[in-house]
């Protein structure tokens, strides 16, 4: 069994009821599909006056003779009707029989398709939910290496391909093979000799069809990967549209997109040619078989005779046999198309499961504790950390007592923002410990850890929703009064109250309808509403103009009152009131103290202050 098929079975289990009924209805469809052609024989016999006369009502002798009993009983009924009411009534009976079998065949087909539809849509939803849950749970570090567009392509395109193509397998293993099986059974019943003759051609056509589909899976994988790359270009272009336009690089990005779209087109054409070839090629092979049958079977009807002078094959039987032979063509075509579809679905499933099977390196321990409160101090003990090869933090230690504000300053690349990433467990330390009240943060649940921390970053990350809903992320059960109070603390209420719909105003994609300072103040309001005991401010004012910075600085000071804060700052004017200022260089602490103490040292901090005072 294919590995991807094994992996998808757990998703099928909740819908096993629908699988069972799909299989049952498909078997009934296959049976009545065959009977609908077999039912033509008595109709043709009545029409051409060759119906065998059965004058004595047959007796049921057991299951082994059920077919003979059914046939004899039908012909007995036809004989009786013909004698009593004329041939028209007998013809009416057999026409009704043909209509009934076709009606049941289509009813069972509808019911089977209905159960398959519920199965496919249910699994599509479950796969999407599982995939989204996985991509939300994976650590931040995973996305520093991956293209977001490729993840989106797997989430949307590949899962859809699994739904559309992969479940062709149910028809591949039940509906069409059963139709072929029942049809061949009926063909053997009518003429063993003619059916054996057909069997010479089936393996030949099957071999040719399988050769055509061999390269399809590899091409499907390439096509899906290229689709992911294409979405990545769109996502990156929209995210960086201002840079694209300001640097006049529209032509470069258009060419990049056009090249990818052209590669995708060539792959799609190549796959499409093979897919399109499946149906006409298998039909042509089928017609060749039919043509040979017409010649060979026609001889059995017209030329060959039994010792009693009768034809080896009756005309009515031969016409029904031809119908049955043609009846094999439809499922044979469906199987060849489904085989290609399944190969495409397999490669899509592989891309989906690649993400679902990524091991999450940052998880809760089985016995992780639920930390409810912050009581004494946050301590960083001799930590070493590297993103790839070079150490970003080296033997770094820091104590942050409850209620105190500690500021981290230093040049870009000195490791300041890395501290924020480690405290929130976006990344895990390589060596050393981060502790809250003496408890290693790896020993507590991530939910309880992050519940104690509020994070305001340099980039104000807001969502395309109302101001109210953006703030409720911090505290979903907050009242309107609490939201307004948080906005006031963050110095944001003065502009929010003037908006057309106040807190119910939609702020656009990534808060695009607001200025940088307004967005940052909303980020602060969100953190204020959450009301965590520990606040991390990661360069929260560095992207702002002087006026906005002053407003945001007031908001930050309001927020930091009676709260433990770690402030990562580039602009030193914003952290002069901190209880402790830690000066960092290349991942190590070079100076530590208050603003006045550090100025008196006349060292690195003093130089930074002097440099910034001339900016």
């Amino acid at each position: 069994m294919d590995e991807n098929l094994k992996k998808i079975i757990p998703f099928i289990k909740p819908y096993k009821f629908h699988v069972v009924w799909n299989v049952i209805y498909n078997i009934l469809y296959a049976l009545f599909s065959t009977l609908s052609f077999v039912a033509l024989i008595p109709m043709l016999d009545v029409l051409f006056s060759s119906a065998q006369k059965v004058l004595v009502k047959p007796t049921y002798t057991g299951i082994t003779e059920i077919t003979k009993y059914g046939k004899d009983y039908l012909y007995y009924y036809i004989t009786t009707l013909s004698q009593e009411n004329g041939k028209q009534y007998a013809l009416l009976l057999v026409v009704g029989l043909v209509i009934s079998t076709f009606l049941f065949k289509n009813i069972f087909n509808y019911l089977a398709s209905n159960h398959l539809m519920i199965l496919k849509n249910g699994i599509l939803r479950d796969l999407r939910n599982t995939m989204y849950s996985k991509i939300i749970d994976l650590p931040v570090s995973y996305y520093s290496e991956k293209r977001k567009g490729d993840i989106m392509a797997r989430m949307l395109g590949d899962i859809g391909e699994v739904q559309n193509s992969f479940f062709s397998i149910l028809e591949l293993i039940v509906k069409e093979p059963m139709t072929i099986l029942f049809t061949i059974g009926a063909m053997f019943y009518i003429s063993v000799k003619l059916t054996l003759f057909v069997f010479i051609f089936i393996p030949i056509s099957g071999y040719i069809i399988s050769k055509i589909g061999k390269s399809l899976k590899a091409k499907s994988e390439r096509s899906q990967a290229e689709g992911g790359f294409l979405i990545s270009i769109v996502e990156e272009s929209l995210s960086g549209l201002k840079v694209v336009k300001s640097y006049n690089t529209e032509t470069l990005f258009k060419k990049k997109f056009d090249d990818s779209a052209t590669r995708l087109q060539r792959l799609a054409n190549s796959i499409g040619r093979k897919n399109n070839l499946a149906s006409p090629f298998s039909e042509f092979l089928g017609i060749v078989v039919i043509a040979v049958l017409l010649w060979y079977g026609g001889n059995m009807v017209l030329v060959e005779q039994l010792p009693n002078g009768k034809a080896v094959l009756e005309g009515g039987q031969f016409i029904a046999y031809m119908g049955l032979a043609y009846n094999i063509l439809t499922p044979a075509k469906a199987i060849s198309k489904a085989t290609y579809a399944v190969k495409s679905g397999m490669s899509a499933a592989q891309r989906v499961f690649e993400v679902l099977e990524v091991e999450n390196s940052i998880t809760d321990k089985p016995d992780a504790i639920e930390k409810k409160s912050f009581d004494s101090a946050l301590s960083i003990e001799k930590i070493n950390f590297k993103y790839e090869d070079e150490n970003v933090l080296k033997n770094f230690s820091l104590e942050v007592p409850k209620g105190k504000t500690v500021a981290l300053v230093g040049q870009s690349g000195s490791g300041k923002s890395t501290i924020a990433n480690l405290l929130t467990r976006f990344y895990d330390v390589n060596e050393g410990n981060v502790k809250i009240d003496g408890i290693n943060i790896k020993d507590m649940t991530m939910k309880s850890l992050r519940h104690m921390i509020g994070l305001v970053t340099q980039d104000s990350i807001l969502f395309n929703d109302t101001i109210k809903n953006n703030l409720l992320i911090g505290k979903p059960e907050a009242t309107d009064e609490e939201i307004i109070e948080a906005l006031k603390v963050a110095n944001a209420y003065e502009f929010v109250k003037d908006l057309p719909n106040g807190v119910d105003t939609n702020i656009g994609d990534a808060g695009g309808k607001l200025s940088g300072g307004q967005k940052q103040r909303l980020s602060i309001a969100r953190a204020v509403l959450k009301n965590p005991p520990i606040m991390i401010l990661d360069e929260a004012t560095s992207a702002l103009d002087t006026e906005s910075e002053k407003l945001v600085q007031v908001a930050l000071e309001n927020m930091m009152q009676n709260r433990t804060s770690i402030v990562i700052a580039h602009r030193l004017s914003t952290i002069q009131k901190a209880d402790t200022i830690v000066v960092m260089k290349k991942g190590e602490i070079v100076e530590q103290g208050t603003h006045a103490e550090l100025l008196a040292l006349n060292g690195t901090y003093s130089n930074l202050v002097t440099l910034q005072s001339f900016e």
Side-chain angles (χ1 to χ4, degrees):
M1 190 190 283
D2 185 278
E3 281 300 309
N4 294 309
L5 185 56
K6 283 181 189 171
K7 289 169 191 172
I8 213 156
I9 284 171
F11 290 93
I12 297 172
K13 279 181 179 174
Y15 304 95
K16 55 182 179 285
F17 169 84
H18 296 288
V19 175
V20 170
W21 278 108
N22 175 266
V23 169
I24 290 168
Y25 287 133
N26 272 332
I27 290 169
L28 289 169
Y29 162 82
L31 178 63
F32 277 88
S33 181
T34 304
L35 289 175
S36 59
F37 286 99
V38 173
L40 291 172
I41 297 173
M43 188 187 83
L44 292 165
D45 285 349
V46 170
L47 210 56
F48 298 117
S49 304
S50 58
Q52 66 181 78
K53 290 183 170 54
V54 179
L55 301 168
V56 180
K57 189 175 182 180
T59 310
Y60 179 68
T61 55
I63 194 75
T64 52
E65 298 289 321
I66 187 78
T67 312
K68 186 178 182 304
Y69 170 75
K71 182 184 171 186
D72 288 348
Y73 194 89
L74 178 64
Y75 279 99
Y76 165 75
Y77 203 66
I78 290 169
T79 306
T80 309
L81 268 179
S82 298
Q83 286 175 346
E84 291 175 3
N85 303 301
K87 286 188 176 179
Q88 275 184 311
Y89 280 91
L91 183 60
L92 197 61
L93 166 72
V94 290
V95 167
L97 185 68
V98 171
I99 289 170
S100 300
T101 52
F102 272 94
L103 174 66
F104 279 114
K105 166 191 164 181
N106 286 289
I107 287 172
F108 291 131
N109 190 31
Y110 166 75
L111 292 170
S113 301
N114 222 32
H115 283 287
L116 184 63
M117 174 196 70
I118 294 166
L119 170 73
K120 282 162 73 171
N121 290 338
I123 288 173
L124 176 71
R125 182 202 62 188
D126 294 349
L127 266 174
R128 278 184 176 156
N129 286 344
T130 307
M131 183 84 156
Y132 186 74
S133 180
K134 182 71 178 185
I135 62 177
I136 287 288
D137 288 343
L138 282 170
V140 174
S141 55
Y142 177 77
Y143 298 101
S144 59
E145 302 158 18
K146 298 284 177 185
R147 286 180 176 273
K148 282 185 279 183
D150 184 57
I151 301 293
M152 287 161 68
R154 293 179 195 224
M155 171 85 189
L156 304 169
D158 290 341
I159 288 179
E161 183 66 28
V162 171
Q163 185 212 28
N164 294 331
S165 308
F166 199 87
F167 289 99
S168 305
I169 208 159
L170 268 175
E171 297 190 342
L172 197 64
I173 59 174
V174 181
K175 184 180 180 180
E176 313 306 356
M178 289 307 292
T179 304
I180 292 172
L181 199 66
F182 283 132
T183 304
I184 287 172
M187 288 163 72
F188 265 117
Y189 180 73
I190 294 169
S191 172
V192 174
K193 187 178 176 183
L194 202 54
T195 307
L196 289 171
F197 182 75
V198 173
F199 274 14
I200 298 166
F201 291 91
I202 289 174
I204 298 167
S205 57
Y207 173 75
I208 296 167
I209 288 167
S210 71
K211 287 295 280 183
I212 295 169
K214 216 161 194 179
S215 66
L216 199 71
K217 187 169 183 272
K219 283 199 171 169
S220 292
E221 284 172 7
R222 278 164 55 202
S223 171
Q224 284 146 0
E226 191 64 52
F229 181 69
L230 192 78
I231 293 172
S232 286
I233 297 170
V234 176
E235 191 269 328
E236 286 172 358
S237 305
L238 291 174
S239 301
L241 199 58
K242 287 179 182 175
V243 173
V244 172
K245 287 181 177 294
S246 65
Y247 282 86
N248 291 323
T249 53
E250 291 97 332
T251 311
L252 179 73
F253 275 82
K254 283 175 187 174
K255 186 180 183 307
K256 197 175 175 184
F257 184 87
D258 185 49
D259 289 348
S260 179
T262 303
R263 286 194 297 273
L264 199 57
Q265 177 204 23
R266 285 178 187 148
L267 283 164
N269 284 345
S270 177
I271 291 165
R273 272 193 293 272
K274 285 197 167 76
N275 270 326
N276 293 339
L277 189 62
S279 184
F281 188 75
S282 56
E283 184 161 324
F284 174 73
L285 286 173
I287 289 296
V288 170
V289 174
I290 295 284
V292 175
L293 270 179
L294 277 169
W295 175 80
Y296 189 74
N299 274 314
M300 290 172 72
V301 174
L302 300 171
V303 181
E304 296 179 31
Q305 290 186 337
L306 294 166
N308 62 5
K310 275 190 167 186
V312 172
L313 197 63
E314 294 289 338
Q317 286 181 320
F318 179 58
I319 292 170
Y321 188 94
M322 293 304 295
L324 286 166
Y326 196 80
N327 193 41
I328 287 180
L329 285 186
T330 307
K333 274 195 297 180
I335 285 173
S336 64
K337 284 190 88 171
T339 305
Y340 294 168
V342 166
K343 281 178 181 167
S344 178
M346 290 287 186
S347 59
Q350 190 172 319
R351 280 169 50 82
V352 169
F353 286 114
E354 272 173 15
V355 176
L356 292 182
E357 288 168 359
V358 171
E359 196 175 334
N360 193 344
S361 55
I362 301 176
T363 54
D364 288 338
K365 287 183 177 179
D367 56 348
I369 63 164
E370 195 85 21
K371 184 92 169 72
K372 299 283 187 185
S373 62
F374 174 49
D375 305 314
S376 58
L378 187 157
S379 54
I380 298 168
E381 301 171 355
K382 296 181 178 177
I383 61 170
N384 286 305
F385 179 77
K386 53 186 175 186
Y387 286 107
E388 284 175 2
D389 298 324
E390 194 181 346
N391 269 3
V392 182
L393 292 171
K394 301 162 196 167
N395 203 26
F396 185 93
S397 296
L398 183 67
E399 183 90 6
V400 184
K402 185 180 178 182
K404 299 293 182 184
T405 297
V406 173
L408 303 175
V409 300
Q411 298 165 327
S412 294
S414 59
K416 304 186 301 294
S417 292
T418 302
I419 300 287
N421 286 335
L422 295 175
L423 291 175
T424 46
R425 276 198 83 191
F426 292 156
Y427 294 81
D428 269 343
V429 295
N430 301 125
E431 293 170 41
N433 298 302
V434 179
K435 293 179 178 177
I436 294 176
D437 298 337
I439 300 166
N440 194 319
I441 61 170
K442 289 182 181 179
D443 295 329
M444 58 183 78
T445 64
M446 275 188 284
K447 191 171 182 179
S448 64
L449 167 69
R450 289 169 185 169
H451 189 71
M452 288 191 287
I453 296 174
L455 180 65
V456 180
T457 58
Q458 179 179 348
D459 303 315
S460 333
I461 298 163
L462 298 169
F463 301 96
N464 193 346
D465 208 333
T466 62
I467 289 172
K468 180 178 178 177
N469 287 341
N470 267 284
L471 264 63
L472 285 175
I473 290 170
K475 187 180 177 184
E477 71 281 2
T479 61
D480 284 359
E481 289 74 23
E482 287 175 306
I483 290 168
I484 289 167
E485 190 54 42
L487 287 167
K488 284 178 179 175
V489 171
N491 218 351
Y493 192 63
E494 53 93 11
F495 78 84
V496 171
K497 66 177 172 27
D498 295 332
L499 293 170
N501 298 313
V503 292
D504 293 312
T505 304
N506 188 294
I507 57 173
D509 188 41
K513 294 180 182 177
L514 305 174
S515 72
Q518 288 173 333
K519 286 194 284 187
Q520 194 62 294
R521 280 179 278 163
L522 286 186
S523 293
I524 294 164
R526 182 169 59 198
V528 169
L529 188 64
K530 184 181 178 183
N531 195 26
I534 301 167
M535 192 65 72
I536 299 172
L537 309 171
D538 188 0
E539 308 233 20
T541 61
S542 65
L544 305 178
D545 58 78
T546 310
E547 191 180 343
S548 296
E549 185 188 344
K550 283 176 183 171
L551 289 166
V552 170
Q553 191 57 39
V554 172
L556 291 174
E557 286 170 9
N558 291 342
M559 181 177 66
M560 288 190 291
Q561 282 177 11
N562 307 315
R563 202 186 302 271
T564 310
S565 304
I566 295 168
V567 184
I568 295 158
H570 174 68
R571 294 187 183 177
L572 305 182
S573 56
T574 62
I575 50 97
Q576 289 178 9
K577 294 177 185 174
D579 297 296
T580 306
I581 297 170
V582 175
V583 185
M584 295 176 66
K585 193 172 183 180
K586 294 183 179 177
E588 295 179 286
I589 297 173
V590 289
E591 290 175 359
Q592 194 170 332
T594 63
H595 175 66
E597 287 168 354
L598 292 174
L599 282 179
L601 285 174
N602 204 22
T604 308
Y605 181 77
S606 179
N607 288 339
L608 288 171
V609 172
T610 307
L611 284 169
Q612 286 202 9
S613 64
F614 289 107
E615 284 182 4

